[in-house]
Amino acid sequence: RFDGLIERVAVSVDLVELHISDRIGTTIGHSDPSRVGERLVGSAVGVFESPHASRAFGDLLRGQAIYGASAPVMGGTRVLGVVGIRFRSDEISQRIGRILASAVGMGLVWLLIGAVVGSIYVRRITQPLTLLTTAAGAITRGELDGVHLDPPQTLDEVGVLQSSFLHLVVALRDERGKTERLLAELERMNVRLRDRVEEVTADLRATSGYLQSVIHCMEEGVITCDAEGDIVQANRGAAQQLRGFVRPDPGVAVAALLPDPEPLVEAVERAIAAGATTRLELERRAAPAADPEHEHVDGVALGGLRTVGFRVNPLHGADRTTLGALITVIDLTDARLVDAQLRRHDRLISLGTIAAGLAHELGNYMHTINGFSALLQASTADDDPRRPDVDAVHNENLRAVALLDRFLEFARPSAERFQAAHVGGLVREALDVCAWKLRQAEVEVDLRLDPDEGTVVCDSRSLLQVLVNLIFNAADAMAGREPRRLRLQTCQDGERVRIIVRDTGSGICAEHLDRIFDPFFTTKAAGGTGLGLSIAHQIVDRHGGRIQVRSEPQAGATFTVTLPAGGPTRDGQRNGDRGRHRGGGAA
Ligand code: ADP
């Protein structure tokens, strides 16, 4: 049925295959009659198969491409079957070849154009941008001098960017110049500032050093403690004033300074908590000096009971916060001894005044009695039974006159002649005078004379009297005791010469210590007048010196006579006297 149709088609094209199939896919007509009756895979759906054209590019170019097409055969809206054709066409192949050739040509042209445009892009945009990036990197690293940029060639965006960048570099160089100038100025100011700081620091150091040395040179003790009551600083004076107690080193608690420290600790606590200032005078027992020869330091007697004065103030910081307490310390032992001596001196003066008048009056009567008793004695025969009574009256009267003369000596001393003398010589002379007494009492003498001692200007007769009296008293105090050792020592310390008389006798109880210099105070049952020490006191006083005693019962006694080296000055005031003790007649 379809042969005519197939022939007509075969005439018009180079037919490879033409097939017609019904709607269920059975080939009902075919250019190859042997294939009629074959089943088409997918039946009429084969309409939607791709045409069987060769897609090989080479086939196309060689004109060997096979083109194919299929289409449904419709009867109204019903699919009746499928017709498919495959054929070769030189004309189509040639046309496709031409199109392909022109497409390749166009492609090459566009590639060329792209390459040209690319190179222009690289030259005009990428290269300047790379240079700019490198320059930016150099700027970031601070290598501003290493940035070399050519002026822009064009005024497009890149050119504008380049020129802005160049301006930026110039501005940065300017800024760097300014910064360098500022830095140089800053450096100069820095140097000036450093010099000034060094100057001020040196000033501060000098001021602080000056203050420190003032504080350290002070005789008074200065101690600072923190809020816990521990010592922060103490000057040399503090250690000196507290000799014999615990050394006030930094870190030592105030409470550990001396025995029974409660009043001092309370004063420190009051200063810290309430900002209160407290004055204290404490009497405490100090440890004796390790070496008894150094028991006096700067006039301060070490060991035994000592009177120490404290003044406790709050210590404020610059912002008024309380840092701790400031304690000033002064050893008042010597001052209190001087006070006692002054009181005694006053007592002696008034006693002396009264006694002098009385003694003068009594003396008149007694000298009269003496004259008459002498006459009575002369007119009474030796074998007269009344003779012993007359002798007794006369002798007792003589003793009374002698006592009265001694007393008048105390009340109205005879004229003294001051001359320079070595105390060592006077001590030796006194020992000679007392030799018989010391031998009799079997006293061992330990003489320690300072080879460097200077002279004192004194009335040597009076001073000898003082020393003899002290030696006699020492010998009396050691009678019947063991050991019996008398030490006589001289030493010079600056403006003062000291004579120390120490014995191992009975000692003096506290109650008597204050009275032994009073006239007529004696504990001796027989032979004591109680005038020796009061006369000694008077004499030493007239020499501008002082006499001190330290003793405890059963522990011996130490009498120290301190005299100004060089003696009294022309106006009658003694060296080292400071105007308190006047020479001349005390009564
Ligand atoms: P007197 O020797 O006539 O008693 P003093 O004035 O010399 O008078 O002494 C007064 C008192 O001081 C003595 O009676 C004695 O109690 C006491 N005294 C003086 N020296 C010593 C001493 N070295 N040891 C103990 N007591 C002393």
Side-chain angles (χ1 to χ4, degrees):
R1 262 192 295 170
F2 300 107
D3 286 350
L5 173 68
I6 294 170
E7 270 171 29
R8 278 206 304 278
V9 173
V11 170
S12 46
V13 291
D14 181 5
L15 189 65
V16 174
E17 181 188 62
L18 175 76
H19 69 90
I20 302 155
S21 52
D22 62 12
R23 53 195 286 249
I24 58 164
T26 309
T27 306
I28 52 176
H30 201 288
S31 51
D32 180 359
S34 63
R35 293 181 60 186
V36 174
E38 274 183 5
R39 293 273 300 189
L40 275 181
V41 180
S43 68
V45 182
V47 168
F48 303 108
E49 275 184 290
S50 310
H52 293 285
S54 167
R55 288 184 206 116
F57 193 59
D59 288 352
L60 269 175
L61 289 181
R62 281 192 302 272
Q64 291 168 359
I66 295 170
Y67 305 95
S70 56
V73 179
M74 306 297 290
T77 55
R78 282 183 64 213
V79 177
L80 301 176
V82 174
V83 60
I85 185 169
R86 296 178 68 212
F87 62 95
R88 283 190 193 87
S89 170
D90 288 344
E91 194 190 326
I92 293 174
S93 294
Q94 279 163 11
R95 235 187 273 166
I96 288 173
R98 276 200 300 276
I99 289 168
L100 281 175
S102 72
V104 168
M106 282 300 285
L108 285 174
V109 168
W110 279 112
L111 266 178
L112 197 65
I113 292 170
V116 171
V117 169
S119 79
I120 291 170
Y121 178 81
V122 167
R123 265 185 64 83
R124 297 270 306 274
I125 299 172
T126 314
Q127 220 169 4
L129 281 181
T130 308
L131 282 174
L132 287 182
T133 311
T134 312
I139 292 171
T140 314
R141 289 192 301 278
E143 298 160 4
L144 215 52
D145 292 333
V147 178
H148 298 293
L149 282 176
D150 296 329
Q153 307 289 323
T154 56
L155 276 176
D156 55 7
E157 286 86 344
V158 175
V160 170
L161 184 64
Q162 225 175 333
S163 120
S164 309
F165 200 86
L166 271 175
H167 279 116
L168 178 72
V169 170
V170 172
L172 275 177
R173 279 187 184 140
D174 272 6
E175 283 304 314
R176 190 182 64 176
K178 275 188 211 159
T179 310
E180 278 169 0
R181 280 195 296 281
L182 277 175
L183 277 176
E185 179 64 17
L186 210 62
E187 180 59 31
R188 276 196 297 280
M189 282 168 71
N190 216 5
V191 169
R192 277 207 298 273
L193 205 65
R194 206 168 43 224
D195 290 351
R196 185 79 190 113
V197 166
E198 271 168 19
E199 227 171 78
V200 172
T201 311
D203 276 1
L204 273 177
R205 215 172 279 140
T207 312
S208 153
Y210 179 74
L211 282 177
Q212 285 285 341
S213 58
V214 166
I215 290 172
H216 272 275
C217 292
M218 279 170 72
E219 262 186 45
E220 288 78 13
V222 180
I223 299 173
T224 56
C225 70
D226 60 18
E228 270 72 51
D230 292 333
I231 292 173
V232 177
Q233 248 190 334
N235 67 348
R236 256 201 315 258
Q240 189 68 22
Q241 302 291 339
L242 287 171
R243 275 178 83 127
F245 297 108
V246 171
R247 211 184 137 80
D249 288 325
V252 171
V254 170
L257 279 182
L258 66 171
D260 303 325
E262 290 75 23
L264 179 61
V265 172
E266 278 165 22
V268 169
E269 284 170 358
R270 267 200 305 280
I272 293 167
T277 297
T278 312
R279 280 174 192 276
L280 286 174
E281 201 171 306
L282 302 178
E283 205 170 64
R284 296 288 181 271
R285 188 168 293 278
D291 175 6
E293 279 187 40
H294 295 106
E295 63 178 6
H296 282 84
V297 176
D298 286 345
V300 176
L302 299 176
L305 271 186
R306 298 251 304 281
T307 311
V308 189
F310 293 95
R311 190 187 154 98
V312 184
N313 293 296
L315 187 66
H316 297 301
D319 54 356
R320 299 298 297 160
T321 49
T322 306
L323 302 176
L326 174 76
I327 306 168
T328 45
V329 194
I330 187 150
D331 190 315
L332 296 171
T333 315
D334 239 20
R336 293 296 165 262
L337 283 174
V338 170
D339 286 351
Q341 202 169 9
L342 282 175
R343 278 199 304 277
R344 212 181 292 133
H345 183 253
D346 290 347
R347 226 162 44 218
L348 290 182
I349 287 174
S350 39
L351 258 175
T353 314
I354 299 165
L358 193 66
H360 185 72
E361 286 302 305
L362 272 178
N364 289 341
Y365 298 126
M366 292 182 80
H367 277 291
T368 312
I369 294 170
N370 203 28
F372 283 110
S373 64
L375 285 176
L376 196 61
Q377 200 178 31
S379 61
T380 309
D382 286 350
D383 53 354
D384 191 315
R386 288 168 304 170
R387 181 61 194 241
D389 297 343
V390 173
D391 282 349
V393 170
H394 185 65
N395 290 342
E396 288 306 306
N397 192 54
L398 271 181
R399 280 187 61 193
V401 169
L403 178 63
L404 212 61
D405 285 346
R406 274 201 88 186
F407 181 74
L408 281 172
E409 166 86 2
F410 157 73
R412 208 169 33 223
S414 54
E416 287 171 326
R417 280 183 56 231
F418 284 88
Q419 275 175 340
H422 282 280
V423 277
L426 285 174
V427 172
R428 283 183 197 285
E429 207 178 326
L431 270 178
D432 285 348
V433 173
C434 301
W436 64 271
K437 169 99 177 171
L438 295 171
R439 249 196 321 272
Q440 198 184 38
E442 295 178 335
V443 172
E444 182 193 328
V445 178
D446 172 12
L447 188 61
R448 299 185 185 193
L449 300 181
D450 183 351
D452 301 327
E453 109 214 334
T455 55
V456 286
V457 177
C458 64
D459 176 62
S460 43
R461 200 179 58 87
S462 303
L463 224 47
L464 197 65
Q465 190 182 345
V466 171
L467 295 177
V468 167
N469 192 63
L470 293 178
I471 294 169
F472 266 54
N473 278 346
D476 287 344
M478 289 189 285
R481 300 178 67 86
E482 282 294 344
R484 290 182 295 278
R485 199 171 298 127
L486 173 71
R487 185 199 286 180
L488 285 161
Q489 187 179 351
T490 61
C491 51
Q492 176 152 8
D493 142 36
E495 294 178 340
R496 288 169 284 210
V497 175
R498 285 200 184 85
I499 308 167
I500 301 165
V501 182
R502 173 187 283 226
D503 63 56
T504 55
S506 58
I508 307 164
C509 65
E511 196 186 322
H512 289 170
L513 262 183
D514 206 31
R515 299 178 57 203
I516 55 171
F517 292 99
D518 287 352
F520 306 115
F521 176 82
T522 179
T523 56
K524 292 174 189 166
T529 60
L531 284 174
L533 284 182
S534 49
I535 290 174
H537 192 286
Q538 286 268 14
I539 293 171
V540 173
D541 210 19
R542 285 200 300 276
H543 282 74
R546 64 186 183 216
I547 181 165
Q548 288 166 302
V549 59
R550 280 178 50 234
S551 178
E552 278 177 47
Q554 313 307 323
T558 305
F559 284 85
T560 305
V561 177
T562 309
L563 296 167
T569 54
R570 228 179 305 152
D571 61 359
Q573 196 175 327
R574 274 74 176 167
N575 285 346
D577 188 357
R578 298 190 181 97
R580 256 209 302 245
H581 312 295
R582 286 263 155 195

